[in-house]
Amino acid sequence: ESSDVAEEGFFLGASRDVTPAVEQAVRLQERDAYIRAIFDVMPNPAVVVDVSLRIDRYNPAFLQLLDGVEETHSTSLVNTALSTLLPSDACAQLQRLIAPPPPEHARSQVAQLTLDRPTRPQSHFEVFGTPLELQAREYHLLTFIDVTGHVLAQRSLERSRAVLRDANREMAL
């Protein structure tokens, strides 16, 4: 009887509609491309790091922040530790920034950072750290906002106040 089955060419198969899974994968790819496009044109330096401050991705403005670090087609900063690119005090501040915040604090944290760079005057930044979960791993988006102009204006204002205060004291004598 088994020879009859073999001669007639029966086979058993199973199928499953994978259309929803494929559609979801396409949507995720489109979303990732959209987010990557926005990330790449952001005027502010931005970098995504893991909890040990290793770079996962960065935008072109981040390369400008580093001043002197060149990316070529043969080298990339992905998987590079920020400690090899930034001063140790800056990395310590960033490490504190990405430490888990107390529950009563907002999701995004802010740190003040000052960088001395070889070919530019001292620069001051506010760094916003936002936790992310990518591929079931913890990452942080660090966005650097250059506040050098504000810091210099504040210092100038403080000097002007001191001069006026001294002039008022001398006039009172």
Side-chain angles (χ1 to χ4, degrees):
E1 194 171 306
S2 62
S3 63
D4 292 339
V5 172
E7 289 175 16
E8 292 184 28
F10 288 104
F11 69 94
L12 177 63
S15 67
R16 187 175 95 182
D17 185 5
V18 295
T19 304
V22 170
E23 288 173 345
Q24 181 181 14
V26 168
R27 282 193 304 274
L28 287 173
Q29 287 175 340
E30 289 172 349
R31 187 191 74 175
D32 187 55
Y34 177 74
I35 290 170
R36 193 175 300 268
I38 292 170
F39 187 74
D40 287 346
V41 298
M42 283 176 53
N44 295 318
V47 60
V48 176
V49 296
D50 65 14
V51 294
S52 63
L53 293 179
R54 284 202 164 288
I55 297 173
D56 181 69
R57 65 176 71 168
Y58 52 93
N59 69 357
F62 183 72
L63 287 175
Q64 294 173 355
L65 170 108
L66 296 175
D67 193 37
V69 174
E70 294 294 324
E71 179 190 48
T72 65
H73 293 294
S74 61
T75 62
S76 170
L77 298 180
V78 172
N79 290 325
T80 301
L82 278 183
S83 60
T84 64
L85 303 170
L86 297 174
S88 58
D89 61 325
C91 287
Q93 285 180 280
L94 294 175
Q95 193 68 59
R96 284 190 297 275
L97 177 69
I98 68 169
E104 66 273 5
H105 283 71
R107 236 174 104 70
S108 193
Q109 302 290 314
V110 181
Q112 305 295 319
L113 192 68
T114 300
L115 294 178
D116 292 310
R117 298 179 286 177
T119 62
R120 295 184 193 180
Q122 189 178 60
S123 300
H124 304 273
F125 296 91
E126 283 187 350
V127 183
F128 292 83
T130 306
L132 306 169
E133 188 176 311
L134 302 170
Q135 301 141 2
R137 291 184 53 211
E138 182 181 349
Y139 290 91
H140 297 269
L141 170 63
L142 303 178
T143 306
F144 295 73
I145 309 297
D146 190 336
V147 294
T148 303
H150 298 292
V151 169
L152 296 178
Q154 182 66 34
R155 288 180 183 168
S156 178
L157 182 60
E158 289 169 5
R159 284 192 298 272
S160 295
R161 285 182 183 156
V163 167
L164 287 172
R165 192 172 35 252
D166 292 344
N168 281 338
R169 284 186 193 135
E170 287 181 21
M171 289 174 40
L173 296 175

